[in-house]
Amino acid sequence: ETGVTQTPRHLVMGMTNKKSLKCEQHLGHNAMYWYKQSAKKPLELMFVYSLEERVENNSVPSRFSPECPNSSHLFLHLHTLQPEDSALYLCASSQDGVRQNIQYFGAGTRLSVL
Amino acid sequence: AQSVAQPEDQVNVAEGNPLTVKCTYSVSGNPYLFWYVQYPNRGLQFLLKYITGDNLVKGSYGFEAEFNKSQTSFHLKKPSALVSDSALYFCAVRDWGGGSQGNLIFGKGTKLSVKP
């Protein structure tokens, strides 16, 4: 176990549904990340939160909405997704200000959009 | 702009043979380099890092990587491969444009297949 827990592990949703992905870290870190992993494509950084404030949004469509209520929890709210949004969504955490910046990843949520 | 290249989509090795997974990088600042491994249905797992110091870095599960500044490379190596090493390997470099939280830029990954 890496200390980063993601739920659910698998999610199937229709294009009109609203769902949320949850990430929780037990490492005492103060930075959290959402990544999208699609087949045969590099890992795509979606959102970064540092000290509970969003510091980066890499041109992600508005149908993805992140929320970071505290330093241990990160959500990704999903609505009106498209089939091309089907992917593995990974959450990671790290300690801001530490130059080595090792990121610790959860096991991911496998999302299928029908 | 920072970037990482993993030129091989797949590397095939026989068990017991040495393995190398290649990575080259381009950075505008000091190269902070990382290797991660992803087993099926799992997230990425940290293997090793180079920040400064010795060019040969040792990491988890017997893996090591050699930092070569002149060739801008950071190849992952293991003297004797195991079938259980079969996984997806990612090279990453710290993005110096990403602020203090130190975003990472990942390569596209190399699938390592070790056959008995």
Side-chain angles (χ1 to χ4, degrees):
Chain A
E1 292 298 326
T2 63
V4 180
T5 304
Q6 289 187 244
T7 55
R9 291 295 310 274
H10 302 273
L11 179 63
V12 179
M13 59 187 291
M15 290 191 287
T16 58
N17 291 158
K18 289 185 180 181
K19 297 286 185 182
S20 296
L21 309 185
K22 179 182 177 181
C23 177
E24 183 174 1
Q25 59 96 359
H26 309 276
L27 301 170
H29 289 163
N30 57 15
M32 298 186 77
Y33 311 76
W34 278 118
Y35 288 89
K36 177 183 179 182
Q37 185 178 25
S38 304
K40 299 183 179 180
K41 292 179 69 175
L43 215 59
E44 299 174 51
L45 178 63
M46 300 175 71
F47 300 104
V48 181
Y49 277 82
S50 180
L51 300 173
E52 301 161 36
E53 290 188 12
R54 189 192 306 181
V55 296
E56 187 152 343
N57 171 1
N58 281 350
S59 302
V60 179
S62 60
R63 57 186 184 268
F64 296 91
S65 175
E67 178 189 2
C68 187
N70 55 61
S71 60
S72 299
H73 294 86
L74 184 65
F75 295 90
L76 188 62
H77 303 300
L78 316 171
H79 64 97
T80 60
L81 293 192
Q82 304 298 311
E84 60 265 29
D85 296 323
S86 298
L88 182 67
Y89 288 85
L90 293 167
C91 173
S93 71
S94 70
Q95 186 60 25
D96 190 3
V98 176
R99 64 176 185 164
Q100 294 97 327
N101 192 44
I102 297 171
Q103 293 186 15
Y104 294 84
F105 285 79
T109 295
R110 175 71 62 186
L111 174 67
S112 297
V113 181
L114 304 178
Chain B
Q2 280 75 219
S3 66
V4 170
Q6 293 181 244
E8 303 153 317
D9 288 338
Q10 181 154 346
V11 171
N12 298 311
V13 178
E15 188 174 31
N17 283 1
L19 69 87
T20 299
V21 183
K22 296 179 180 178
C23 172
T24 58
Y25 65 89
S26 174
V27 298
S28 55
N30 291 328
Y32 286 7
L33 298 157
F34 303 80
W35 275 102
Y36 283 80
V37 59
Q38 185 179 30
Y39 297 101
N41 301 313
R42 302 293 297 274
L44 276 67
Q45 183 177 336
F46 170 75
L47 269 182
L48 51 79
K49 66 182 187 296
Y50 172 83
I51 304 298
T52 186
D54 290 341
N55 290 341
L56 186 64
V57 178
K58 294 188 183 298
S60 306
Y61 311 122
F63 283 93
E64 56 189 29
E66 186 171 8
F67 171 68
N68 188 317
K69 188 173 182 179
S70 63
Q71 296 185 6
T72 62
S73 67
F74 189 56
H75 299 332
L76 182 70
K77 300 181 179 183
K78 187 172 183 180
S80 179
L82 300 173
V83 173
S84 57
D85 292 329
S86 298
L88 193 56
Y89 289 81
F90 292 91
C91 182
V93 63
R94 177 168 173 166
D95 180 5
W96 287 102
S100 64
Q101 73 278 1
N103 298 345
L104 296 177
I105 297 173
F106 286 87
K108 62 178 174 60
T110 298
K111 183 179 179 181
L112 174 66
S113 179
V114 182
K115 293 293 196 302

